[in-house]
Amino acid sequence: MPISTFKSIAAEKENLERILDNLSEGIIAHDKERRILFFNRAAEEITGYRRQDILGRDCHKAFGRPFCGDRCSFKNGPPQTLEHVTYPLTIFTPKGNLRRIEMRITGMLDHEGAFVGVLASFRDLTELMGLRRQIGELNHFGIVGQDPKIMQIFREIQDLATSDYPVCITGETGTGKELVANAIHDESLRAGKPFVPVNCGALPEGLLESELFGHVKGAFTGAVRDKKGRFEITDGGTLFLDEVAELPKAVQAKLLRVLQEGTFERLGGEQQISVDVRIITATNKNLKREVEKGNFRDDLYYRINVVPIHMPPLRERRSDIPLLVAHFLHTAAEKEQESPGFSKDAMIVMEDYSWPGNVRELQSAVRFALVKARGQMIRPEHLPLELKEWEGRRRGLRNRKGKLDAEVVRTALAQTGGNKARAARILGVGRATLYRFLAGLPNS
C-alpha cells in the first residue's frame, strides 16, 4: 500500500480508533485541561473502567485521583511541554483490585508544534510479577533469594502496596532491612516522592532532633539559619527510621505526636508544620522487650508496629547462599572483576558457615576472596580469616571421623545452628549414624 494512501486512511478518526482498539496495550489521551479524549479497549480491560464512564471527564475525577499518582505532571496545572517518560505504577480497579503497570507517556503537539495534551500507553505487568514470584526470581525488589522465608517477604511487600500503614522491620544486622523498606516505598503510591533514610543510632540526641524536625535560626549554638528536617524533606514520601530502638525518650514523644497529629515544630520554633509522611522503622532489637525494660514508649510501639515484617538471618535460609554468591560475582564482573567462581570446597565452607553478619558479611567475604584469588578459581585459602578458622575447626572434626563423642557432636551442632544434617556432613558420618548416637545420649 502506498504511504500516502495509508496516511489518508489512518488520518480518519474512525479507522485510527479501530487501530488503537486492537492494540494489546492500554491507550489513554487527554488534553491540557485533563479532559479524556481517548480510552481504548485494552485500557478498559486493564483498569476495569468503562470508556463511556471515562470519556470527556477530568482525568483526576474520572479515576477518583490522578491516574498517574504522585507522578502526575498536571497536578498543579498543565506543563509547558512533556518529554517521553517511562515508569512502573500501581493502580486500583473500581473493585479495589491491584494492577501493576508500566506507563509510557509523551506529549501531543498540534500542527504548529504547540503542546496540546498527553498520550499515554501502558501494559499490565501484574501476571508477570506474580509469575516471577512463583518461580523465585533471584533479584526481586533488589533482594536476592528464593527461600520460602524470602518469598514470603516478597509477598508482604506486594501486599503493602495497597496500604499506607506504618511498617516495622525487625532482624539482625546485615539482613537487608533497608532494602525491604525501599522496596515497600517503590511499590506504594508514594513511589514518585522521596524515600529518606535516617540512622537513629548514629546521631547524638540534640543533633538527631534537629535532623528529624529541623531548627530555626538561633535555636542552639551554630544554628546560623533555618533548616528543614527530614520530615519536611520527606513530605508526601516515606521516612525510614533505622535503629529506631535507639531513639531518646524526648524524641520518641515528639515522633509520637507527628504520628498522631501529623504536625510538629522545628527545634526552637513555634510554628506548626503539617506533613504527610509514611513511617517505616527497623531495628535489630526486640522492641517489645525494650518496652518492658522502660527504654521504649509502649504507645509509640503500637503506633509504628502496625505491620511487622521479620527478616530471617542468612543461617536460616542457607539455600540462598549460592544465589547470593552468584549475584555478587555477577555484580563484580560488571566492574571488571572477573572470576571463574568458587571451588566446590570453598562453596561448602560458605554454605556451612554461620554468617553472624548475614548478607552484608557474605558480600564482604566474596569481595575479599576476589581480591585474594586474583582472577583464579576461589578456594578455601582465599576466604577471609573467620571462614578459614571455621574451615580449620571443621577439618579437625572431620579428622576424628568415626570417633563420635558428646563434645565433638555438641561442637558440630553449635557450629551448624543445630542442623543435624549439616553437623553429620562436618563430622563425616551419615545422618543415621549421628541420629543413633544422639538417641543414645542422656536427655537427648
Side-chain angles (χ1 to χ4, degrees):
M1 178 186 297
I3 293 178
S4 58
T5 305
F6 178 82
K7 286 184 176 178
S8 65
I9 294 174
E12 298 178 17
K13 185 174 182 297
E14 182 178 344
N15 285 313
L16 179 58
E17 289 183 356
R18 186 177 294 115
I19 292 170
L20 296 178
D21 248 349
N22 280 280
L23 295 178
S24 59
E25 291 189 337
I27 305 289
I28 181 173
H30 67 70
D31 61 19
K32 291 177 66 174
E33 283 68 47
R34 300 194 308 233
R35 286 192 301 266
I36 298 175
L37 308 174
F38 186 78
F39 200 70
N40 73 343
R41 185 179 295 114
E44 289 183 302
E45 294 173 354
I46 294 171
T47 67
Y49 287 87
R50 300 184 305 171
R51 75 179 80 189
Q52 57 263 40
D53 299 328
I54 293 295
L55 291 177
R57 298 183 62 192
D58 182 306
C59 177
H60 291 192
K61 294 179 180 178
F63 298 105
R65 60 181 304 279
F67 184 73
C68 300
D70 287 328
R71 288 185 169 94
C72 177
S73 302
F74 284 72
K75 287 192 298 185
N76 302 314
Q80 295 300 311
T81 185
L82 190 63
E83 301 296 329
H84 296 284
V85 182
T86 301
Y87 53 82
L89 181 68
T90 299
I91 64 170
F92 300 91
T93 68
K95 295 182 179 179
N97 296 321
L98 179 146
R99 291 285 183 271
R100 187 66 170 170
I101 63 176
E102 182 182 66
M103 290 282 288
R104 289 196 296 274
I105 296 177
T106 188
M108 294 191 298
L109 308 178
D110 62 15
H111 294 298
E112 298 178 355
F115 178 68
V116 294
V118 167
L119 178 68
S121 64
F122 51 93
R123 62 191 184 104
D124 190 357
L125 302 180
T126 309
E127 290 186 6
L128 175 60
M129 299 298 281
L131 178 60
R132 285 176 174 171
R133 287 196 301 277
Q134 290 172 23
I135 65 174
E137 184 185 13
L138 300 188
N139 192 347
H140 198 35
F141 305 118
I143 305 166
V144 176
Q146 59 181 7
D147 181 272
K149 293 185 180 69
I150 287 297
M151 298 304 293
Q152 177 61 32
I153 298 292
F154 293 163
R155 286 189 287 271
E156 290 174 349
I157 291 171
Q158 192 69 60
D159 291 343
L160 283 166
T162 64
S163 71
D164 209 25
Y165 298 130
V167 178
C168 184
I169 307 168
T170 58
E172 296 177 6
T173 298
T175 50
K177 296 186 290 294
E178 185 169 346
L179 280 176
V180 173
N182 212 331
I184 291 170
H185 170 76
D186 287 343
E187 291 296 301
S188 75
L189 297 175
R190 295 178 182 265
K193 294 295 183 178
F195 173 83
V196 179
V198 179
N199 188 324
C200 301
L203 298 169
E205 180 175 347
L207 188 55
L208 177 60
E209 187 173 356
S210 170
E211 190 71 20
L212 288 175
F213 306 107
H215 62 254
V216 298
K217 181 180 178 181
F220 52 85
T221 302
V224 296
R225 58 181 177 82
D226 290 356
K227 178 187 174 182
K228 288 184 177 181
R230 297 297 180 94
F231 269 97
E232 286 181 81
I233 294 171
T234 313
D235 193 24
T238 302
L239 184 64
F240 174 56
L241 301 178
D242 197 7
E243 296 189 36
V244 70
E246 306 303 322
L247 282 176
K249 280 292 189 67
V251 180
Q252 289 181 33
K254 201 163 183 177
L255 175 60
L256 178 64
R257 181 183 172 190
V258 179
L259 292 175
Q260 290 174 333
E261 303 174 10
T263 62
F264 64 93
E265 301 96 26
R266 289 180 182 173
L267 190 62
E270 298 179 353
Q271 180 184 354
Q272 291 282 316
I273 299 172
S274 298
V275 290
D276 172 25
V277 172
R278 181 185 195 170
I279 297 291
I280 298 179
T281 56
T283 179
N284 58 11
K285 293 186 176 181
N286 185 321
L287 266 189
K288 188 65 174 175
R289 193 169 299 154
E290 293 301 305
V291 171
E292 294 168 354
K293 292 178 180 178
N295 297 330
F296 202 82
R297 295 178 62 116
D298 58 350
D299 46 6
L300 179 58
Y301 169 75
Y302 291 114
R303 281 282 181 176
I304 66 174
N305 197 45
V306 176
V307 182
I309 292 179
H310 179 70
M311 287 297 292
L314 188 54
R315 63 182 174 275
E316 292 182 6
R317 56 181 187 108
R318 293 179 185 272
S319 62
D320 283 340
I321 290 174
L323 304 179
L324 287 159
V325 169
H327 170 71
F328 294 138
L329 288 175
H330 176 72
T331 302
E334 291 179 342
K335 299 177 181 179
E336 299 183 354
Q337 287 185 294
E338 297 287 348
S339 170
F342 281 67
S343 69
K344 181 179 179 181
D345 288 343
M347 185 56 72
I348 288 174
V349 176
M350 299 286 279
E351 290 183 44
D352 283 344
Y353 182 62
S354 60
W355 298 109
N358 294 293
V359 178
R360 189 179 296 145
E361 184 186 7
L362 176 64
Q363 182 180 35
S364 296
V366 172
R367 290 173 174 174
F368 180 92
L370 283 168
V371 172
K372 298 295 285 186
R374 298 181 180 180
Q376 301 176 15
M377 176 72 71
I378 296 172
R379 304 188 184 283
E381 59 265 27
H382 299 133
L383 300 177
L385 178 62
E386 294 84 355
L387 276 79
K388 286 194 287 189
E389 289 179 347
W390 154 263
E391 171 61 6
R393 292 193 298 271
R394 189 169 174 271
R395 195 181 298 119
L397 290 173
R398 277 197 163 180
N399 288 339
R400 301 180 66 171
K401 181 177 179 181
K403 301 177 182 179
L404 295 183
D405 60 52
E407 181 182 354
V408 169
V409 171
R410 278 198 296 269
T411 301
L413 288 172
Q415 291 177 352
T416 61
N419 188 306
K420 295 175 184 176
R422 290 184 177 278
R425 189 165 77 179
I426 289 175
L427 293 165
V429 300
R431 281 182 292 179
T433 300
L434 178 59
Y435 291 157
R436 283 195 298 271
F437 180 84
L438 290 171
L441 290 177
N443 301 319
S444 60

